[in-house]
Amino acid sequence: MTRDLPASASPFDPKDWEAFRVLGRRMVDDLVDQLQTLREGPVWRPPTDQVRAAFATEAVGAPAAPEAVYAEYLENIAPYASGNRHPGFMGWVQGGGAPIGALAEMLAAGLNMNCGGRDHVGIELERQIATWARGWFGFPDTSAGLFVTGASQANFMAVLAARSFALGGDVRTRGLGGARLAAYAQVGAHACVVRAMEMAGIGREALRLIPPDADFRISTEALRAQIAADRAAGIMPFLIVGTAGTVDVGAFDDLAALADIADESGAWLHVDGAFGALGVHAPSVKARLEGLSRARSIAFDFHKWGQVPYDAGFLIVADEARLTDVFSSPVAYLSRSSTGLAAGEVWPTDLGPDLSRGCRALKTWFVMRACGTEAIGEAIERSLRLAQSLARRIDAHDRLERLAPAELNIVCFRYVCESPDELNAKIVERLQVAGSVAPSLTRIGGKVSIRAALFNPRTTETELDALIAGVLALGGELEKETDDERQRSTS
Ligand SMILES: *Cc1c(COP(=O)(O)O)cnc(C)c1O
């Protein structure tokens, strides 16, 4: 399009739109090249000293041509990314990203919608996602949901909603006062639940960490006993957090049992389904989510099993009023009209702590529409099969020991040797640096464990081969180094 248009007054607009167009096309081309050839590069490489120095300048400096800035991106940024796109990434509970989501993110930035509120399609899109989620989880028509950064934020908001539900609107005016509250979650609950209690001003002591049963699910017996003890001490059980998919081993609490206990005790049932809730799309996981529809709120992440590019966390509550009770503030500059741009009754800013918010809904909508929830189900089922395959290989090798059941897509194991804690930690470090696969470390029952969390839908048997071969080779190498050192120090 080479029409003669008046020049833009904005110093932010391109001086040469044609050159801008060319640059944009190149960016898309380069990105597609990268995504097609991920396996040819390492999972991760640490930024070099030179790269780090490039990001330690004191001042922004004079404006450069966009082409020059892009060249810097190609040299100093793109090669040093976090690695979770790569098929060898199995380090943490992270998504690999759907490429269509990246293009959608560019479109969203182009539209530059502020999705805090007002009457525009960005709000409709977000409602669309909430409506889909309502269907997936069997939530009622009164439900509402919104995007947040991630499950950490969603869990925090759920704690606040439960707090207001227990104490009434007064908590907004007077704070907690002398209220004595207790919340409950299993020992394997995510650390952000503890932090949510701290941030909510209730304090982490008020979160009772209930021991798990043999299957790493919350012990409902111990939970009942703790609730009874708290009640007897005049403490109000206000919140039960069920985990649907623990980060260490992928265990699912018995949500139906938790819903019963919540009914009996009057506590709010919140489910941290950060990755697990989207398991409703996979037949092998769906059965473990029985009772999910009885929760009052669910936190989940589209950026994990949903493969939407970061970030795309979501909170859904069964009753919209429970969020407006916490977050809605009637101030004049946010007042509503019946028509015009300020129309609409409930805006996202009434449901959460943010006013200005980007449009996370667009990339999510694109990924869901283009790939379907079928893709989520298919990728999950395949990752479960891969985990089974990995577990079999570990069990078949006498130098490898599995440390937890591999019932989902997370496999915890270690190399069997003297001082296993130290050595397995080193194995993982060296594997990450070597770059073909990147598992992470955790502790299972006090033992340092290599953790392969198979969330990247690009991962195949090839990466499992590399993982097993790498662990065995590095284990042998490290044992030899230890022996050599020992000999040197005794000679
Ligand atoms: C990832 C995760 C979280 C934290 O979610 P973010 O999106 O990283 O904030 C919380 N709970 C569980 C079970 C998780 O897997």
Side-chain angles (χ1 to χ4, degrees), residues 405-426:
E407 294 204 352
L408 203 68
N409 60 338
I410 304 174
V411 185
C412 293
F413 68 105
R414 65 178 178 176
Y415 183 75
V416 180
C417 56
E418 263 182 62
S419 4
D421 283 2
E422 208 180 310
L423 199 115
N424 279 282
K426 279 192 189 151

Side-chain angles (χ1 to χ4, degrees), residues 93 149-153 155 190 192 243 245 247 272 274-275 301 303-304:
V93 179
T149 39
S152 303
Q153 179 80 338
N155 285 329
H190 196 274
C192 70
T243 303
V247 281
D272 177 4
F275 67 88
D301 282 325
H303 53 227
K304 290 173 177 169

Side-chain angles (χ1 to χ4, degrees), residues 259-270:
D260 288 342
I261 297 173
D263 286 346
E264 291 158 24
S265 63
W268 176 292
L269 176 61
H270 170 69

Side-chain angles (χ1 to χ4, degrees), residues 210-378:
I210 307 297
D213 63 17
D215 295 323
F216 297 85
R217 295 143 63 106
I218 189 169
S219 159
T220 49
E221 224 169 285
L223 172 61
R224 278 209 166 85
Q226 182 67 52
I227 289 177
D230 284 332
R231 272 207 186 294
I235 296 168
M236 179 185 190
F238 84 108
L239 169 67
I240 298 172
V241 179
T243 303
T246 61
V247 281
D248 272 345
V249 300
F252 285 69
D253 286 339
D254 182 345
L255 302 177
L258 293 187
D260 288 342
I261 297 173
D263 286 346
E264 291 158 24
S265 63
W268 176 292
L269 176 61
H270 170 69
V271 174
D272 177 4
F275 67 88
L278 285 179
V280 292
H281 300 302
S284 310
V285 180
K286 194 172 173 37
R288 302 174 211 208
L289 289 163
E290 207 201 311
L292 183 66
S293 63
R294 295 169 61 195
R296 287 187 190 271
S297 54
I298 305 170
F300 69 102
D301 282 325
F302 281 100
H303 53 227
K304 290 173 177 169
W305 265 345
Q307 309 300 339
V308 172
Y310 283 87
D311 48 35
F314 209 85
L315 175 69
I316 184 164
V317 293
D319 183 356
E320 180 178 76
R322 300 283 81 82
L323 286 182
T324 51
D325 279 356
V326 179
F327 295 108
S328 157
S329 317
V331 286
Y333 49 86
L334 295 178
S335 66
R336 316 296 147 92
S337 55
S338 53
T339 58
L341 198 45
E345 278 196 2
V346 176
W347 291 354
T349 190
D350 300 315
L351 304 175
D354 302 311
L355 176 53
S356 293
R357 333 171 37 251
C359 185
R360 299 180 178 107
L362 186 65
K363 61 189 172 185
T364 307
W365 180 81
F366 252 98
V367 174
M368 295 299 119
R369 293 272 287 121
C371 307
T373 54
E374 289 83 356
I376 299 178
E378 187 188 322

Side-chain angles (χ1 to χ4, degrees), residues 52-319:
R52 292 187 206 275
F55 299 113
T57 61
E58 296 282 325
V60 177
E67 291 78 6
V69 180
Y70 181 58
E72 258 186 77
Y73 161 85
L74 286 178
E75 187 173 333
N76 288 339
I77 298 175
Y80 304 98
S82 51
N84 46 308
R85 306 185 295 181
H86 193 284
F89 186 92
M90 46 187 79
W92 290 270
V93 179
Q94 294 192 19
I100 189 69
L103 297 185
E105 189 73 318
M106 184 171 78
L107 300 181
L111 294 177
N112 195 25
M113 292 187 278
N114 183 340
C115 292
R118 291 156 290 271
D119 192 17
H120 57 91
V121 75
I123 306 299
E124 298 300 333
L125 260 179
E126 192 156 349
R127 286 210 190 99
Q128 170 68 89
I129 309 293
T131 304
W132 287 345
R134 170 190 303 173
W136 298 339
F137 304 139
F139 263 35
D141 290 349
T142 50
S143 72
L146 75 163
F147 279 98
V148 290
T149 39
S152 303
Q153 179 80 338
N155 285 329
F156 175 45
M157 288 157 64
V159 169
L160 297 179
R163 189 187 67 170
S164 275
F165 184 62
L167 301 179
D170 249 21
V171 71
R172 288 184 70 166
T173 317
R174 302 211 184 96
L176 279 182
R180 296 173 71 204
L181 302 175
Y184 309 82
Q186 71 141 304
V187 170
H190 196 274
C192 70
V193 177
V194 179
R195 200 174 46 193
M197 291 289 288
E198 296 170 1
M199 293 194 298
I202 305 169
R204 68 164 179 268
E205 265 178 21
L207 178 64
R208 318 297 195 204
L209 290 176
I210 307 297
D213 63 17
D215 295 323
F216 297 85
R217 295 143 63 106
I218 189 169
S219 159
T220 49
E221 224 169 285
L223 172 61
R224 278 209 166 85
Q226 182 67 52
I227 289 177
D230 284 332
R231 272 207 186 294
I235 296 168
M236 179 185 190
F238 84 108
L239 169 67
I240 298 172
V241 179
T243 303
T246 61
V247 281
D248 272 345
V249 300
F252 285 69
D253 286 339
D254 182 345
L255 302 177
L258 293 187
D260 288 342
I261 297 173
D263 286 346
E264 291 158 24
S265 63
W268 176 292
L269 176 61
H270 170 69
V271 174
D272 177 4
F275 67 88
L278 285 179
V280 292
H281 300 302
S284 310
V285 180
K286 194 172 173 37
R288 302 174 211 208
L289 289 163
E290 207 201 311
L292 183 66
S293 63
R294 295 169 61 195
R296 287 187 190 271
S297 54
I298 305 170
F300 69 102
D301 282 325
F302 281 100
H303 53 227
K304 290 173 177 169
W305 265 345
Q307 309 300 339
V308 172
Y310 283 87
D311 48 35
F314 209 85
L315 175 69
I316 184 164
V317 293
D319 183 356

